[in-house]
Amino acid sequence: MAATFRPHAGQATSTLPINMPSKAPASTNYFSISRVAGSPPEISDVSTTTGSASDFDVSSSGYSGVDVIDTLNDRMSNVFDPTRLDKSIAKQTQLSGQLNAKQRELQELQALMQRRIKGARSNFAEGIKAAKETKSDLEWTQKRISSMKVKAERNLPSEYRLASSKYAFDDDC
């Protein structure tokens, strides 16, 4: 479409042709999905993602109260292959079983560890008891030796001095 150029005051009065785009709406291939009384025309089960409104002729006599959405859902359920879903569910089940087995194994190991700790504590307690008994026996023996030393020094002083000089030992031990 050609438009004329009108100059403002003070400009030259020559006209130049300018191409302007048309403002008429362009036709689109998009159509809204709505519930239509009738069945869609029979087409192949191959899924397509493009189409135009002329693919579904609503005015044809083939529509007899069937819902388009329900029919499309039925076709999708026929096209959908649940094998991949079944495989993933089977894999999840296997992983879950493996995790449960590992969990049971960990619980068994934990129970074994607790039994071993209980045994180690028992052994430690027995060792402490034996150490205390040994200490008590050593203290009794030390007291007994000290009393024998005092008696020997008092009853036999010359022999004790001779033995002390010959066999010198520290009394602090």
Side-chain angles (χ1 to χ4, degrees):
M1 193 180 207
T4 60
F5 175 70
R6 294 186 185 183
H8 292 291
Q11 290 183 345
T13 58
S14 66
T15 60
L16 298 173
I18 298 175
N19 289 331
M20 300 292 286
S22 172
K23 291 194 178 194
S27 65
T28 60
N29 289 336
Y30 302 111
F31 57 94
S32 62
I33 297 177
S34 63
R35 298 197 181 263
V36 178
S39 63
E42 291 299 320
I43 58 173
S44 70
D45 284 338
V46 177
S47 172
T48 60
T49 57
T50 60
S52 64
S54 63
D55 290 344
F56 296 101
D57 188 10
V58 178
S59 63
S60 70
S61 62
Y63 292 97
S64 60
V66 176
D67 192 9
V68 174
I69 302 295
D70 291 338
T71 305
L72 290 175
N73 284 335
D74 290 341
R75 285 192 181 170
M76 277 303 292
S77 67
N78 290 339
V79 171
F80 177 69
D81 183 20
T83 306
R84 287 179 52 194
L85 181 62
D86 292 344
K87 286 181 182 178
S88 66
I89 290 174
K91 188 170 185 165
Q92 284 180 342
T93 304
Q94 288 175 345
L95 287 174
S96 176
Q98 290 172 352
L99 287 174
N100 287 337
K102 289 292 181 185
Q103 180 68 27
R104 283 192 300 274
E105 185 180 342
L106 285 173
Q107 288 173 344
E108 290 171 2
L109 289 172
Q110 188 177 21
L112 176 63
M113 180 193 62
Q114 288 175 351
R115 286 193 303 270
R116 287 182 177 175
I117 287 174
K118 186 177 179 182
R121 284 182 179 161
S122 173
N123 289 342
F124 182 74
E126 287 177 14
I128 295 292
K129 182 179 176 185
K132 286 181 181 179
E133 288 175 2
T134 304
K135 183 180 178 183
S136 169
D137 290 345
L138 286 173
E139 287 174 353
W140 180 84
T141 305
Q142 182 66 31
K143 285 180 186 176
R144 182 78 176 144
I145 290 174
S146 296
S147 68
M148 288 172 67
K149 181 179 167 186
V150 168
K151 274 187 187 177
E153 189 176 5
R154 192 174 3 133
N155 293 337
L156 306 165
S158 62
E159 288 86 5
Y160 181 79
R161 271 183 269 129
L162 180 64
S164 293
S165 64
K166 190 174 182 181
Y167 302 104
F169 60 90
D170 193 9
D171 286 338
D172 294 336
C173 295

